Amino acid sequence: MYKRSEGFFKGYQDINLFFQIWDNPEARGTVIITHGHGEHSESYHRLIKAFENDKWSFYGWDLRGHGRSDGRRGYVAEFDDYCKDYKIFLDMVMKEEKVKKGPVILYCHSMGGLIQLKTLLQNSDIDCTAMVISAPLLGLTVPVPAFKAKGAGILNKLLPQITMGNELSNDMLTRDPDVIREYEQDALRHTRVSPGAFLGFLDSFEFVNPRANQLKKPALVIVSDADPVISTSAAKALYEHLGTTQKELYVYPGGKHELINDTIRQTVYADIKKFLDGFLESK
C-alpha cells in the first residue's frame, strides 16, 4: 500500500504548483509523472494503483494552469515556462535521499512529453535512468480551425491571456464509457488553451523533432496506431531517431489518446511494468 502525501512548491516566477507522492515503503525505484494538456496528476490513479504491489514510488505534479496548481486555466506566457517549472520540480525530487538510491524513470504524456523532451534537451545535467513516453505531442492530428491557427500570433500580442477551446472531446481520449463519465464530472479538467501555448507547441516541435538523436537515455514509447489527438507518425519518428539502442515501441491498434485510461489499459500497464522492472533487475 502507498503512503500518499501532497504539497506545493514554487515554480518559475514563484507560482504555486501542486504535487503529490505515492510512496511505497518497499520501493526500489521512482517514477516522476508529467501529465498532458487539460488533465492533472490525479488522472494517473489507475496506472499508479496497478503498481501498488510492485517496487516503485510515484511523484506527480500539476502544470501551471492545470489541476490544483495556480494560474489561469490553459494559459502560459511562454511554453518554456512549463519547462522551467519542470526543471525546478525535478531538482527538488531528485535531491531526496530515497530517490537517489534507485533508478528514476521520467514518465510523460502528450504535452507533458513535449515539456519533458524539450527540458531534457535544454538541460544536459538532468540525470534520469530512463523514460516512458506516452503519445508525445510532437505534431497534431486534431484539426485546428484556420481562424485560430492564423490568428494566434495576433491574439498573443493583443490578448495574450485569452483562452479558447482546444477541439478535444472525451471520446478522443478513451473508449471506456465509465472513464468518459468520470471526465465529464471532473472539475479539475479543462479544455482551454492560450495563443501563447499553441504557438509554443509549434516552436517546440521545431526544436525537439530534429534533436531526437541527442536523447540517449533508454526509452519506451507507447502510442495508438491512429491517435485522434497527436501525430502517431511523429511519435514513431521520435522513436526511430532517439539516440539510444535501448528503446522499445508499442503501437496499440484502435487505442485512443490516453492509453492508460482506455479499454486496453491492463495490456498497457503490463507493457510498462515489463520495461520498468528491467531497471530494478539491473540494480
Side-chain angles (χ1 to χ4, degrees), residues 91-269:
D91 287 346
M92 180 185 77
V93 173
M94 291 184 175
K95 287 178 182 176
E96 297 191 19
E97 288 301 320
K98 60 184 176 182
V99 174
K100 292 179 182 179
K101 292 179 180 178
V104 175
I105 312 298
L106 302 185
Y107 182 108
C108 57
H109 173 68
S110 196
M111 186 178 80
L114 188 58
I115 293 167
Q116 177 172 302
L117 296 172
K118 189 173 188 182
T119 304
L120 290 173
L121 288 168
Q122 292 173 327
N123 298 273
S124 59
D125 60 315
I126 295 174
D127 186 21
C128 67
T129 307
M131 302 182 289
V132 176
I133 306 168
S134 166
L137 176 60
L138 298 171
L140 289 164
T141 298
V142 61
V144 178
F147 79 92
K148 288 186 180 180
K150 293 180 179 179
I154 297 172
L155 285 173
N156 195 43
K157 291 179 181 178
L158 299 179
L159 297 167
Q161 294 201 33
I162 193 172
T163 60
M164 306 178 77
N166 63 8
E167 275 61 62
L168 301 189
S169 58
N170 289 328
D171 61 357
M172 294 178 177
L173 308 179
T174 177
R175 293 169 291 183
D176 189 323
D178 292 332
V179 177
I180 290 176
R181 282 191 289 272
E182 175 189 304
Y183 288 177
E184 290 170 347
Q185 298 167 11
D186 186 351
L188 292 179
R189 281 190 170 247
H190 72 81
T191 59
R192 312 302 295 176
V193 62
S194 68
F198 174 73
L199 293 172
F201 296 166
L202 304 182
D203 289 343
S204 298
F205 297 163
E206 294 299 316
F207 180 84
V208 172
N209 285 327
R211 294 175 173 83
N213 65 326
Q214 297 177 27
L215 297 164
K216 301 186 183 298
K217 296 295 184 180
L220 168 66
V221 178
I222 59 174
V223 68
S224 165
D225 65 336
D227 193 302
V229 177
I230 62 93
S231 168
T232 295
S233 61
K236 290 180 177 179
L238 169 78
Y239 169 79
E240 292 296 333
H241 293 112
L242 286 172
T244 175
T245 57
Q246 194 174 348
K247 57 185 178 180
E248 298 178 35
L249 172 67
Y250 286 90
V251 180
Y252 299 91
K256 295 293 186 174
H257 183 55
E258 294 188 9
L259 292 165
I260 64 163
N261 289 321
D262 197 19
T263 52
I264 55 171
R265 55 185 174 267
Q266 295 301 330
T267 299
V268 178
Y269 300 160

